[in-house]
C-alpha cells in the first residue's frame, strides 16, 4: 500500500514546515519593501526632498530684466519636473516666490507661503510690505515680521538665488513646515 512506502509526516512537522516557509516569505517581503521604497526615493527627487514641491534643486524662475529696478517685489510661479517611478511630468506648479532686485546682479527670493498656515502672502505696494490675507500677518520687504500681533511664528522663508548666464534667475525652491518657529523643510 502506498501509505506504507510514503509515511505521512506527523502533523507537528507539517506545521513546522509551514511556519518556516511563512517566515521565509515574510522575511523576504520585509527586505523587498525597503529596497523598493528606496528605489522610488532614488527615482523621485521631489519625494527625496520631502516633496514640498519640493525639489530644492535650482529651478529657472525668471529673467533678471523682468524685475523692476526700484526693488519692488514681483511674484512668479515655480514649475518643476516631477519624476516618479512611472512618469516624468514637466512644468508641474510646486509653489511661487517673490523676487526682488537688490543690486545690479543680486536678487532676493522669498517663498510666498505664509509661515503661519501656508496662505500665499500679497505684496501691498501702497504699504510697501507683505500682508497675509488669512490672519493678517505682515512682513517687511526683507521678510521680517512687522506687526507684533502677527500670528506668523517666523519671518518669510528666504530661498537661495543664483544669477546664471545672461541674467537668468535660478532659485533653489523649497517649501517649509507651517506653524513652527524653526525653519523645517516640508
Ligand atoms: S496663514 Fe498667514 S497669518 Fe495665518
Amino acid at each position: 500500500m502506498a501509505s506504507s512506502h510514503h509515511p505521512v509526516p506527523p502533523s507537528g512537522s507539517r506545521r513546522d514546515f509551514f511556519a518556516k516557509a511563512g517566515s521565509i516569505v515574510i522575511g523576504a517581503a520585509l527586505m523587498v519593501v525597503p529596497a523598493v521604497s528606496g528605489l522610488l526615493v532614488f527615482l523621485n527627487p521631489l519625494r527625496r526632498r520631502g516633496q514640498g514641491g519640493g525639489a530644492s534643486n535650482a529651478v529657472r524662475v525668471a529673467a533678471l530684466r523682468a524685475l523692476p529696478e526700484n526693488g519692488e517685489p514681483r511674484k512668479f510661479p515655480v514649475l518643476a519636473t516631477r519624476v516618479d517611478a512611472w512618469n516624468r511630468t514637466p512644468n508641474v506648479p510646486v509653489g511661487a516666490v517673490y523676487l526682488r532686485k537688490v543690486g545690479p546682479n543680486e536678487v532676493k527670493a522669498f517663498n510666498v507661503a505664509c509661515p503661519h498656515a501656508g496662505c500665499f502672502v500679497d505684496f501691498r505696494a501702497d504699504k510697501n510690505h507683505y500682508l497675509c490675507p488669512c490672519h493678517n500677518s505682515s512682513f517687511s520687504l526683507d521678510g521680517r515680521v512687522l506687526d507684533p500681533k502677527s500670528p506668523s511664528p517666523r519671518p518669510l522663508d528666504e530661498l537661495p538665488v543664483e544669477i546664471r548666464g545672461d541674467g537668468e534667475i535660478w532659485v533653489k525652491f523649497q517649501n517649509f513646515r507651517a506653524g513652527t518657529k524653526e525653519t523645517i523643510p516640508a
Side-chain angles (χ1 to χ4, degrees):
M1 289 185 23
S3 62
S4 63
H5 295 295
H6 301 286
V8 176
S11 62
S13 21
R14 203 182 307 177
R15 259 201 310 275
D16 283 355
F17 170 77
F18 284 119
K20 277 185 190 146
S23 61
I24 288 168
V25 169
I26 291 167
L30 289 176
M31 286 170 68
V32 166
V33 168
V36 169
S37 57
L39 182 65
L40 291 178
V41 168
F42 172 75
L43 290 171
N44 184 350
L46 294 177
R47 184 193 296 234
R48 186 170 55 216
R49 54 192 89 251
Q51 209 84 1
S56 60
N57 277 335
V59 181
R60 184 200 173 278
V61 175
L64 198 49
R65 65 178 177 282
L67 299 183
E69 291 297 328
N70 65 3
E72 195 171 286
R74 286 282 185 274
K75 185 159 77 175
F76 295 90
V78 177
L79 307 174
T81 300
R82 193 180 294 270
V83 181
D84 62 25
W86 315 110
N87 299 300
R88 181 182 174 82
T89 315
N91 297 327
V92 177
V94 293
V97 289
Y98 274 108
L99 300 180
R100 185 164 75 93
K101 195 168 180 186
V102 293
N105 218 25
E106 195 182 349
V107 170
K108 295 270 187 210
F110 289 117
N111 193 319
V112 302
C114 176
H116 178 227
C119 295
F120 280 15
V121 300
D122 296 321
F123 176 67
R124 298 283 302 269
D126 55 331
K127 301 254 173 60
N128 208 30
H129 71 204
Y130 300 97
L131 182 68
C132 179
C134 291
H135 315 100
N136 293 328
S137 284
S138 57
F139 305 89
S140 65
L141 264 191
D142 59 3
R144 280 173 300 114
V145 174
L146 272 182
D147 184 341
K149 292 201 287 291
S150 299
S152 178
R154 61 175 192 267
L156 290 178
D157 296 312
E158 189 167 350
L159 300 165
V161 176
E162 267 179 56
I163 309 298
R164 294 189 189 169
D166 199 13
E168 301 295 314
I169 305 168
W170 289 68
V171 177
K172 280 195 173 179
F173 185 75
Q174 175 71 60
N175 282 315
F176 298 94
R177 205 178 288 176
T180 60
K181 200 164 167 42
E182 305 74 32
T183 306
I184 303 168

